[in-house]
Amino acid sequence: MGDQPANATGLTPVHVNRVIQNLRADGLIELKSRSLFIPDVEALAHAGGFDDSYHLRKGEERRGE
């Protein structure tokens, strides 16, 4: 995947590679023909601690920050 994901996220390429390899090993993502597939979005969201009730409207700020 090169350094693009690391540059885009401000993380080191080593860290991004390790995370991607862990996600692949856990079956949460698949890489094929330079494309990334997510076979189970809910499982990936759960693994990442995603809270779908959290969202902001344009111009809104989170409280407490």
Side-chain angles (χ1 to χ4, degrees), residues 29-51:
I29 64 169
E30 298 173 6
L31 298 174
K32 297 178 184 174
S33 302
R34 299 180 54 98
S35 295
L36 184 140
F37 297 92
I38 303 170
D40 186 344
V41 173
E42 288 182 13
L44 181 61
H46 178 72
F50 179 74
D51 178 2

Side-chain angles (χ1 to χ4, degrees), residues 11-59:
L11 301 170
T12 67
V14 171
H15 179 73
V16 171
N17 184 54
R18 287 181 182 156
V19 170
I20 288 171
Q21 296 308 318
N22 287 338
L23 292 171
R24 288 178 77 184
D26 292 343
L28 296 171
I29 64 169
E30 298 173 6
L31 298 174
K32 297 178 184 174
S33 302
R34 299 180 54 98
S35 295
L36 184 140
F37 297 92
I38 303 170
D40 186 344
V41 173
E42 288 182 13
L44 181 61
H46 178 72
F50 179 74
D51 178 2
D52 64 355
S53 68
Y54 175 82
H55 64 283
L56 295 176
R57 292 186 180 91
K58 187 175 182 178

